[in-house]
Amino acid sequence: MAGENKSTENLTIGKKDYLVEITELNQTSLKFYTENPRVYSILNLAGTEPSQDEIEELLCAKEHVKELKDSIESNGGLIDPLIVRKGDFTVLEGNSRLAAYRILAQKDPLKWGRIKCKLLPADISDSAIFTLLGQYHIIGRKDWEPFEQAHYLYRRHKETKIP
């Protein structure tokens, strides 16, 4: 299932190092993370686990996913790979990117059929997953202030002539 262009790297989560494979996978073989906070509180109201189709439909309708699709398309692919649990191929981090790829694949399944992924071990603990997701989404990166964004875009346009 893994692609031919593989490499590995260490990823530290909760003071433990994990060897991860960096590869390309067929995006149709990947599963959305049913506990993804973007969908869990909306789709889990009845107390039952949402289906993959329900998650995809909800994510694909979100405005940020449509914007992400446009960004991925104009870039020619992902900058940040999805983080996937090996074994069940659940996307732990990057569900919106997966949804954007699936939108793109509707127009061109050949071009958007494979997606860059970091494969975590199949036996990674729930605790490590919570630590990883908390780092990304709770602690996370600091967004640039509006004036910082504007200045960056101005410099980008002035220096590279990119609109």
Side-chain angles (χ1 to χ4, degrees):
M1 178 178 268
E4 294 154 15
N5 295 331
K6 285 197 275 188
S7 63
T8 59
E9 72 178 25
N10 280 319
L11 180 64
T12 304
I13 305 170
K15 299 181 183 176
K16 183 176 178 184
D17 285 336
Y18 294 89
L19 185 64
V20 297
E21 263 181 67
I22 302 167
T23 190
E24 285 190 345
L25 298 173
N26 184 331
Q27 56 91 351
T28 59
S29 68
L30 301 176
K31 294 192 287 189
F32 292 102
Y33 185 44
T34 58
E35 295 187 37
N36 178 339
R38 292 193 201 280
V39 299
Y40 184 85
S41 58
I42 297 169
L43 294 178
N44 202 350
L45 292 176
T48 59
E49 188 170 286
S51 72
Q52 291 293 304
D53 289 339
E54 289 172 320
I55 295 170
E56 183 173 341
E57 184 180 338
L58 177 69
L59 284 174
C60 287
K62 291 194 169 280
E63 192 58 37
H64 79 275
V65 171
K66 294 173 186 173
E67 291 170 5
L68 190 54
K69 174 204 66 91
D70 293 340
S71 175
I72 292 168
E73 186 172 31
S74 70
N75 188 57
L78 289 181
I79 293 173
D80 292 322
L82 307 181
I83 298 180
V84 177
R85 181 174 47 217
K86 198 172 189 175
D88 65 2
F89 294 96
T90 297
V91 176
L92 302 171
E93 171 55 26
N95 286 268
S96 292
R97 284 172 274 160
L98 175 58
Y101 250 71
R102 292 204 172 152
I103 294 169
L104 289 165
Q106 290 173 3
K107 288 193 311 188
D108 190 345
L110 199 56
K111 178 172 175 122
W112 303 105
R114 297 183 68 73
I115 191 166
K116 193 183 326 179
C117 300
K118 288 184 180 182
L119 286 173
L120 292 172
D123 62 351
I124 190 166
S125 69
D126 287 342
S127 174
I129 292 168
F130 282 119
T131 299
L132 174 71
L133 296 179
Q135 183 68 39
Y136 275 109
H137 295 285
I138 297 172
I139 298 169
R141 296 178 181 148
K142 170 76 172 95
D143 285 341
W144 289 342
E145 298 295 331
F147 74 90
E148 294 166 331
Q149 293 174 10
H151 191 248
Y152 174 79
L153 291 172
Y154 172 77
R155 285 192 339 262
R156 176 182 170 201
H157 176 68
K158 187 165 176 81
E159 294 171 13
T160 65
K161 306 297 183 226
I162 296 173

